[in-house]
């Protein structure tokens, strides 16, 4: 299987991360996980650096997914929540 590639000009913003979480994220044991297992480890570390610049400290799990600790999970979910609110069909994803 070929890996997907993270573009080097990717914008890590609340809006882009909202849709990233909606499409490829989940919560488990009160932690947020982003499914990044199709990217190379180098690309995932690049994404982690981008998230670091936004004040988060996620880690890369052995399954090659990005994980946030409990403290960062709450901060991340607040950061990505649109001012207009979460679309009702996705509210379950915020239940931790």
């Amino acid at each position: 299987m070929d890996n997907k590639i993270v573009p080097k000009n990717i914008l890590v913003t609340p809006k882009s991360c909202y849709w990233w979480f909606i499409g490829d994220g989940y919560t488990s044991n009160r932690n947020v996980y982003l499914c990044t297992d199709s990217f190379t480890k180098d690309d995932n570390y690049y994404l982690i650096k981008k998230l670091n610049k936004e004040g988060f400290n996620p880690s890369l799990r052995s399954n090659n997914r990005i994980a946030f600790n409990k403290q960062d999970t709450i901060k991340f979910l607040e950061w990505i929540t649109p001012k207009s609110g979460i679309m009702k069909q996705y509210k379950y994803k915020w239940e931790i």
Side-chain angles (χ1 to χ4, degrees):
M1 177 173 103
D2 291 333
N3 286 324
K4 295 179 182 177
I5 297 169
V6 174
K8 295 306 175 200
N9 63 346
I10 190 167
L11 298 176
V12 174
T13 66
K15 189 174 190 176
S16 68
C17 287
Y18 172 83
W19 288 109
W20 185 9
F21 178 64
I22 293 296
D24 254 345
Y26 63 97
T27 57
S28 177
N29 296 321
R30 302 182 52 87
N31 296 311
V32 161
Y33 295 86
L34 298 173
C35 298
T36 54
D37 37 308
S38 294
F39 299 126
T40 66
K41 285 193 186 305
D42 286 342
D43 276 351
N44 282 333
Y45 285 121
Y46 178 74
L47 289 168
I48 287 171
K49 280 185 187 179
K50 296 285 249 177
L51 289 163
N52 290 157
K53 289 181 181 177
E54 297 302 327
F56 303 104
N57 191 27
S59 60
L60 190 61
R61 298 291 193 212
S62 60
N63 61 359
N64 206 34
R65 291 183 176 181
I66 293 175
F68 292 79
N69 64 30
K70 287 174 181 39
Q71 183 179 8
D72 269 359
T73 286
I74 297 196
K75 193 168 119 181
F76 180 77
L77 291 175
E78 288 172 354
W79 185 67
I80 66 171
T81 300
K83 290 187 189 332
S84 59
I86 302 160
M87 294 174 74
K88 65 181 176 183
Q89 63 267 43
Y90 300 124
K91 286 190 178 199
Y92 74 94
K93 290 186 137 258
W94 271 253
E95 293 173 5
I96 56 170

